[in-house]
Amino acid sequence: MSAAVRGRWWRLAIVGLLAGFFSGLFGVGGGVIIVPLLLMLANFEQRRASGTSLTAILPTAIAGAIGYAVQGEVDWIAAGCLAGGAIVGSLIGSWLLHKVPQGVLRWLFIAFLVAMAIRMFLLVPDRGAVLELGVGTVVALIGLGLVTGILSGLLGVGGGVVVVPMLMVLFGMGDLVAKGTSLLMMIPTSITGTLANVRRGNSDVRAAAVIGLLAVPASLGGVAVAAAVPPQLGAVLFAALLVFTAVQLAVRAVRQRRRGRD
């Protein structure tokens, strides 16, 4: 095995460990970590990074969901409603991924990170809050799932960065239950989006397998830490992570644009 190949696998391993830990800690699939790291460390182009990320999210989401479920921190009915909308949305998003220009996709992802960071900075989680289900709530959850699925297929994120804060802000759900429910919702979304991306050649399955398998044990560690971190501190840390990632990607995008002009 050449040094270049070994270097690539080591970088993918780092991506998997980081994505897994933050997935468990914040209740996200890890795509918000995987996509920028694939761009910055593994030299993936935006479309392939998004497709590969969605594939790698599957084992991470399964492990994280199990970890929260064991602690009783999953709302199964809400997760089912979200998943129903997200499955349809992920197919739409995967189709859009093949159509949207690379430059537009890159800046759309950066804007998405900034918007979610602002939301998390302003969020004051209530760990003991419980979701009250009704007809209106079910319809709203399906709608949220649809939007989340589109973003999932288009940007390669599992949707947790949207679902977790929205469940807390709009639906009054406790932060740990929101995280567990979000991870459970991502499982069918990741499967449908991955199948669509693989058919279109937008996913590196071998790279995704390396990332996903290494993310599993790391995600369980993140779940354990999540219960010990105060809700407000967790929200602020997550927001800071999103801002840092957005800045790094924006700098990279500007540099690439300048090189293209030279």
Side-chain angles (χ1 to χ4, degrees):
M1 183 183 293
S2 67
V5 173
R6 286 197 300 271
R8 180 176 188 265
W9 294 121
W10 274 111
R11 287 191 288 271
L12 292 175
I14 292 172
V15 172
L17 292 173
L18 290 175
F21 178 77
F22 286 113
S23 172
L25 179 60
F26 296 121
V28 300
V32 70
I33 307 298
I34 295 172
V35 173
L37 286 181
L38 286 177
L39 294 172
M40 293 185 287
L41 297 181
N43 295 318
F44 274 57
E45 49 92 13
Q46 181 73 47
R47 182 174 289 116
R48 197 160 181 80
S50 296
T52 301
S53 170
L54 191 58
T55 304
I57 283 170
L58 179 58
T60 314
I62 293 173
I66 291 173
Y68 279 100
V70 168
Q71 299 177 12
E73 303 289 0
V74 172
D75 187 321
W76 297 86
I77 297 177
C81 295
L82 290 165
I87 289 172
V88 176
S90 67
L91 295 176
I92 297 173
S94 297
W95 177 79
L96 289 173
L97 176 64
H98 198 63
K99 305 292 183 180
V100 178
Q102 291 288 301
V104 173
L105 191 60
R106 182 185 297 274
W107 285 107
L108 180 62
F109 189 75
I110 292 171
F112 169 74
L113 292 177
V114 172
M116 288 302 102
I118 294 173
R119 170 61 69 183
M120 294 302 289
F121 270 125
L122 299 176
L123 187 64
V124 182
D126 180 2
R127 182 152 292 178
V130 178
L131 175 65
E132 297 293 336
L133 285 174
V135 175
T137 303
V138 168
V139 172
L141 285 169
I142 293 174
L144 175 60
L146 179 65
V147 173
T148 301
I150 293 174
L151 292 174
S152 174
L154 182 60
L155 302 179
V157 298
V161 286
V162 177
V163 172
V164 173
M166 290 301 99
L167 286 178
M168 289 188 280
V169 173
L170 298 182
F171 297 90
M173 187 179 284
D175 67 315
L176 292 181
V177 178
K179 293 173 182 179
T181 302
S182 169
L183 286 167
L184 182 61
M185 175 273 296
M186 290 176 203
I187 296 173
T189 307
S190 176
I191 293 173
T192 54
T194 292
L195 292 175
N197 281 327
V198 169
R199 285 198 301 269
R200 296 185 176 100
N202 289 331
S203 178
D204 186 330
V205 178
R206 286 195 293 179
V210 173
I211 295 169
L213 291 176
L214 287 173
V216 168
S219 69
L220 296 177
V223 171
V225 173
V229 175
Q232 185 61 49
L233 176 59
V236 171
L237 290 175
F238 190 27
L241 175 66
L242 295 179
V243 170
F244 175 78
T245 302
V247 169
Q248 294 299 312
L249 289 178
V251 170
R252 181 182 177 89
V254 170
R255 287 176 178 172
Q256 288 183 341
R257 185 174 181 181
R258 288 176 178 174
R259 291 195 194 104
R261 290 177 177 176
D262 295 339

